[in-house]
Amino acid sequence: MKNPVQGLHHVTVMAADAQPNVDFYSETLAQRMVKVTVNFDDPGTYHLYYGDRVGSPGTVMTHFPWQGARRGVRGNGEAVATAYSVKSGSLPYWRERLSAGGFKVGETLRFGQTVLNLEDPDGTWIELVADDGLEVPQPWAEGPVAPADALHGFHSVTLWVNDHQPIHDLLVGQLGFKAVGSEPDSQTADVGGVRYRYQGAGAGVGLYVDAVERRGQPKGTFGAGSIHHVALRTVNDAEQAEYLSQLRAAGYGATPVQDRQYFHSIYFREPNGVLFEIATDAPGFDDDESVDKLGSTLKLPAWFESRRGEIERRVPRIVSREYGNEIGGGTSGRIPDEQVPAEQAPTQRQVPSDPNVLHAGRPIAEARTAMILVHGRGGTAADILSLGEQWNQSVYAYFAPQAPGNTWYPQSFLAPIEQNQPHLDTALARLDALMAELAAAGIPPERLMLGGFSQGACLVSEYVARNPKRYGGVFVFSGGLITLKHTGDLEGTPMFMGNSDRDSHIPHARFEESAAVFAALNAQVDARVYPGMPHTIVQDELDAVGHMMQALSLTGV
């Protein structure tokens, strides 16, 4: 790259109750709450941003407070700690301030620097690193801590990984960092950690990434207190586009550019599972309110303004300590249990009850939107479930049933139907049972997406055609209908279908016939043919479904 990423941009964490989060970051840590908005993928949830006076890149910690969320468990495949820089002479002040606030403060020495460590109200590891070489980019003079003692912005993040080599290959080979030291990690005494530093011109905040290899240790369990992703800086859209092309060419499966109002973002995972973002510096947090008023009101992007009333009623009431005003004031962000009919209460049953259905994403009790993913012949539930990482839609609960012997039915989907019985009926019944469980847990069909690849796509197609109703969305990657005679009304269900013009498993004519049947059933069909595409899933298909997912998540907030 001509210009390597410029260190850390922001860190995004899941929280539980919003007000303790506001109080800790804006009062205890004295970071200005520079923006109050909503999760663009889940507008019933706040997105709170804290940083220096203007929210300079490299100072911003962001949180999604999902009311009542269960605590996460730290483990491999995630960032586990965020460190701020502070002057060494201010460490006694911070030790006393944090202790007086009721926080247990530890102290370690790492790479020759003194580090204070504590947990925030949700259990997120926060560290303060003695580093005299930095100043606050934009001091918040009116904050509860004098600028002389204020946090300078980020020093580093710490990653836990099973295998160190992939993270080294990413940071050094793709992102322009350099390994600058190694030593045993204070949290895992006998396991080595490696420090990486941004190598571009000039000095700034957020220059370091520490990676600790923990072979054979469990993966993290996402929940309140878990770091969702680490964002790295790039100056503008042109540099970000260059990274998007480079990362996709290197096999990282980066998402399309997403407009986050205050910056533009792409997301990708490295092989250990750590989720990264590359975010632009512009346009910045003063794009929709003046610097003097940052964080004073709930700001919504233009595409949400028509739903402001619904959103303000849904998000919980919080008090801004800087302005002394209230924001929000609706429910807790979820429908209170006493308002949920008993037969739909998510506590009534464990979903899924079938041990051969894998689950990822939101716990069902905390989700309002879900997706069923069905693997193809020879595939696995785990394989297709990993598509959720490509879409990076945090509002979804994902479910993937596993077929016996990795096959839903023995013959081609074009074979006489009796040759695939009773396996076909059994597979359809499993989908129906999972649909019923999700409906009982509060996810009706209109809040649910179904999709699959190859044999799984054929199975999904047949299920939807035999059970016509309004679904949240349907996608068919390289598949078609098993039978072509169907009646009923899909009530405008959005449907994506993608196939090659020369797929030996899914004849082009059958694909076109299937699309015509669904259109006749009143689905809104987007059927795309990819010339010469092998029997696989391509990025354009993933992008199309990603847009469908986002559209569904914006309904019924």
Side-chain angles (χ1 to χ4, degrees), residues 165-209:
Q165 191 61 48
I167 200 71
H168 177 89
D169 293 344
L170 172 67
L171 293 174
V172 176
Q174 301 292 330
L175 301 178
F177 283 76
K178 180 180 180 181
V180 294
S182 63
E183 65 177 20
D185 181 72
S186 60
Q187 298 290 340
T188 57
D190 59 342
V191 181
V194 178
R195 171 160 288 180
Y196 295 88
R197 188 187 190 281
Y198 154 66
Q199 289 300 295
V205 295
L207 303 181
Y208 298 97
V209 173

Side-chain angles (χ1 to χ4, degrees), residues 291-503:
V291 170
D292 289 343
K293 295 295 185 181
L294 288 177
S296 60
T297 60
L298 176 64
K299 304 302 292 187
L300 298 176
W303 57 90
F304 284 162
E305 276 296 343
S306 64
R307 297 178 181 173
R308 176 174 284 277
E310 298 172 74
I311 292 171
E312 288 183 335
R313 286 191 296 273
R314 187 170 188 96
V315 294
R317 168 185 171 273
I318 59 174
V319 176
S320 167
R321 303 308 185 190
E322 178 180 357
Y323 301 101
N325 65 319
E326 297 181 2
I327 301 172
T331 69
S332 66
R334 295 186 299 172
I335 300 173
D337 289 342
E338 63 269 18
Q339 295 182 18
V340 180
E343 67 272 13
Q344 293 187 1
T347 55
Q348 293 295 303
R349 61 179 71 194
Q350 179 67 33
V351 178
S353 61
D354 184 346
N356 293 312
V357 176
L358 301 188
H359 170 229
R362 290 282 191 193
I364 188 63
E366 299 169 9
R368 296 193 299 275
T369 311
M371 175 181 284
I372 296 174
L373 292 150
V374 186
H375 69 78
R377 185 192 301 271
T380 67
D383 288 342
I384 199 160
L385 198 63
S386 68
L387 290 180
E389 298 176 356
Q390 297 277 337
W391 290 309
N392 189 37
Q393 302 266 355
S394 60
V395 66
Y396 279 80
Y398 299 94
F399 298 90
Q402 175 64 52
N406 300 347
T407 301
W408 294 107
Y409 43 84
Q411 304 298 324
S412 164
F413 81 112
L414 299 174
I417 196 167
E418 60 272 12
Q419 293 184 16
N420 282 318
Q421 297 292 18
H423 310 281
L424 175 60
D425 284 349
T426 299
L428 292 169
R430 286 187 64 191
L431 287 183
D432 202 46
L434 181 54
M435 290 280 295
E437 283 194 294
L438 291 174
I443 309 290
E446 63 268 22
R447 301 291 303 161
L448 178 71
M449 290 188 65
L450 300 92
F453 170 66
S454 191
Q455 191 186 63
C458 297
L459 187 65
V460 166
S461 297
E462 191 70 12
Y463 178 83
V464 169
R466 292 189 185 196
N467 298 275
K469 57 174 69 78
R470 171 71 189 208
Y471 296 93
V474 178
F475 59 93
V476 177
F477 293 154
S478 300
L481 280 164
I482 297 171
T483 59
L484 293 173
K485 293 183 179 180
H486 299 279
T487 60
D489 190 353
L490 286 168
E491 302 176 28
T493 294
M495 186 168 192
F496 175 85
M497 302 180 70
N499 198 51
S500 172
D501 62 344
R502 59 187 68 180
D503 192 318

